[in-house]
Amino acid sequence: MLSLRPPSIAARCAAYRALAPGCRRRLATAPQLRKVVFSGIQPTGVPHLGNYLGALRQWVRLQEEAAPDTTLLFSIVDLHAITIKQHPADLQQWRREMLASLLAVGLDPARCVVFAQSSVRQHAELMWILSCGASMGYLGRMTQWKSKLQLPDSALPLASSKDQLKLGLFSYPVLQAADILLYNTTHVPVGEDQAQHLEFTRELATGFNHLYGPLLTVPETQLSAAKRVMSLAEPTKKMSKSDPKPKSRILITDSRETIHSKLRSALTDSIEGVSYDREARPGVSNLVDLIHHFDQAGAASPEELAQDLKGLSMRALKEKAADSVDKSIKPIRERYEELMSGDQKKLISHAESGARKAEAMAESTMQRIRNAMGIGW
């Protein structure tokens, strides 16, 4: 079993020198490092405000601020989605809705690569290769499979959960590592909840390079200032698609009337006035956060904004929050409706074009890996 302890520089150099000369020549032809950003999102249909503020808006900002030679890849990670049972017709529709959503929020296929993970076969190929060196012990400490099965942090993979736990869910982090390492990714924007998986990716890349030479780029974890948006029905929990209450979340395609209706029914409290305290007043603080997130020219912080709004009634606060949200997502909603009601072949062509670009990059990586491992011609 491959050790995941990062080797010393001397050890890595010795391993590289031990390779056959021809293999070293192939490694020398690897492309020079330049900034490559990769991130993915599962096809859960139309994103809600938590998805938008936590990831998608950050992606658009990266696209706008990146240097011209930076490669940007954003993937609909549908292979990850099937770690839990999916209805085929629903999954197909959700993939299309997510694609339209990515374009609607502002991702430009002319500037970045937007594609479906399952359209690039090399993701699965590299996952298998990495799986052969991934530690069961390390994977057993991951939180993903435990949270999906609602198990305690102390749960063991081969104990009482063995009938529930499927291999795909357990090895999810290996596929995530393959997604990233396939493109010589240098930076991965993630929230703190994914930092553990990125560290695992770094360990896999380092261990692989220790055996075969400097083939895989060890990526940097780029922690994004992910905006936490809480449920409108239970403001102590994050906004989620899995919540059975539709009024707990606002979708980026919700109409003005729907937004106002959902926010009017948002859970707050009976304390007079507005103040910001996530512990004591989670519902009110969530509304203040929403206004702050969508009013970029407003107060410098939610606390400062709450001071400005302290005299408002709950009804007025909810109306202001609804107006702020609707004003910001209206262009997104209109663009989404245009894409979904238009030529579907044209919509899908953006993902197909992105997949061809991604596959060319992925195959270049895999050719070097196959040659170094002795499984290439």
Side-chain angles (χ1 to χ4, degrees):
M1 185 63 66
L2 171 62
S3 169
L4 291 177
R5 178 176 298 171
S8 66
I9 296 296
R12 274 181 275 177
C13 291
Y16 179 63
R17 287 194 298 271
L19 295 171
C23 186
R24 288 204 300 271
R25 284 195 296 273
R26 285 193 292 271
L27 295 184
T29 64
Q32 293 297 308
L33 282 185
R34 53 177 178 159
K35 189 169 183 179
V36 179
V37 177
F38 177 94
S39 198
I41 188 168
Q42 288 204 33
T44 55
V46 177
H48 54 64
L49 294 188
N51 304 136
Y52 175 63
L53 292 170
L56 303 186
R57 191 163 75 170
Q58 312 299 325
W59 294 2
V60 175
R61 190 167 295 153
L62 277 170
Q63 175 183 265
E64 293 170 349
E65 297 175 355
D69 64 344
T70 295
T71 300
L72 302 165
L73 299 109
F74 300 114
S75 180
I76 299 170
V77 287
D78 45 1
L79 293 178
H80 287 295
I82 60 173
T83 56
I84 57 176
K85 188 176 181 180
Q86 303 282 356
H87 190 284
D90 288 341
L91 181 56
Q92 186 176 55
Q93 179 66 15
W94 293 339
R95 291 168 76 243
R96 193 166 299 187
E97 289 174 350
M98 183 57 74
L99 173 60
S101 297
L102 296 183
L103 301 180
V105 299
L107 291 183
D108 181 1
R111 175 62 187 92
C112 58
V113 181
V114 179
F115 67 103
Q117 176 193 35
S118 61
S119 297
V120 181
R121 67 186 187 280
Q122 289 86 351
H123 284 259
E125 181 183 3
L126 182 55
M127 181 201 177
W128 173 251
I129 289 172
L130 295 175
S131 293
C132 294
S135 162
M136 286 279 289
Y138 202 132
L139 284 168
R141 294 192 294 273
M142 292 290 181
T143 58
Q144 182 74 28
W145 63 272
K146 298 175 186 178
S147 62
K148 289 286 186 183
L149 297 179
Q150 298 181 325
L151 296 172
D153 289 343
S154 59
L156 298 174
L158 298 180
S160 59
S161 62
K162 62 183 179 181
D163 291 331
Q164 298 171 277
L165 181 58
K166 307 303 180 187
L167 178 59
L169 182 60
F170 184 68
S171 59
Y172 179 107
V174 186
L175 178 57
Q176 190 176 57
D179 297 339
I180 294 163
L181 299 175
L182 198 52
Y183 300 102
N184 297 301
T185 302
T186 59
H187 295 79
V188 186
V190 293
E192 289 185 5
D193 59 335
Q194 289 293 314
Q196 183 188 38
H197 287 181
L198 262 295
E199 187 55 35
F200 178 67
T201 298
R202 290 170 54 83
E203 295 283 1
L204 279 181
T206 302
F208 185 91
N209 290 345
H210 179 48
L211 288 180
Y212 298 108
L215 280 165
L216 298 177
T217 301
V218 181
E220 291 183 25
T221 303
Q222 186 174 326
L223 283 176
S224 61
K227 313 270 190 309
R228 293 180 74 235
V229 180
M230 312 307 284
S231 164
L232 301 181
E234 296 180 75
T236 57
K237 298 180 179 178
K238 287 177 68 174
M239 189 175 285
S240 171
K241 275 284 186 70
S242 61
D243 193 315
K245 307 183 197 74
K247 285 196 171 185
S248 69
R249 56 189 172 271
I250 294 175
L251 306 182
I252 63 171
T253 56
D254 278 346
S255 67
R256 175 178 175 81
E257 293 73 22
T258 300
I259 293 168
H260 276 263
S261 173
K262 288 180 177 180
L263 281 165
R264 274 196 296 269
S265 64
L267 182 66
T268 51
D269 56 47
S270 57
I271 302 172
E272 189 175 341
V274 176
S275 60
Y276 191 83
D277 187 329
R278 279 190 171 272
E279 296 296 324
R281 307 191 72 186
V284 173
S285 299
N286 194 31
L287 298 181
V288 173
D289 278 333
L290 284 176
I291 298 170
H292 182 252
H293 294 332
F294 285 108
D295 186 3
Q296 298 298 301
S301 68
E303 291 83 359
E304 184 180 311
L305 177 59
Q307 279 293 315
D308 296 340
L309 304 175
K310 63 182 179 181
L312 290 185
S313 65
M314 285 301 103
R315 180 176 178 178
L317 179 66
K318 291 177 179 181
E319 289 296 312
K320 185 171 180 62
D323 287 338
S324 298
V325 171
D326 177 64
K327 181 180 178 182
S328 295
I329 70 171
K330 181 181 177 182
I332 297 172
R333 178 174 65 232
E334 292 174 347
R335 176 62 176 150
Y336 175 88
E337 291 170 352
E338 178 186 334
L339 288 164
M340 289 300 288
S341 63
D343 185 349
Q344 293 300 285
K345 288 184 179 180
K346 183 177 180 182
L347 171 63
I348 296 168
S349 71
H350 292 300
E352 291 174 338
S353 174
R356 287 192 292 271
K357 295 175 185 176
E359 186 165 26
M361 297 171 64
E363 181 57 20
S364 175
T365 300
M366 289 310 305
Q367 284 180 1
R368 294 194 302 275
I369 288 173
R370 295 185 203 112
N371 289 340
M373 295 182 70
I375 56 175
W377 296 112

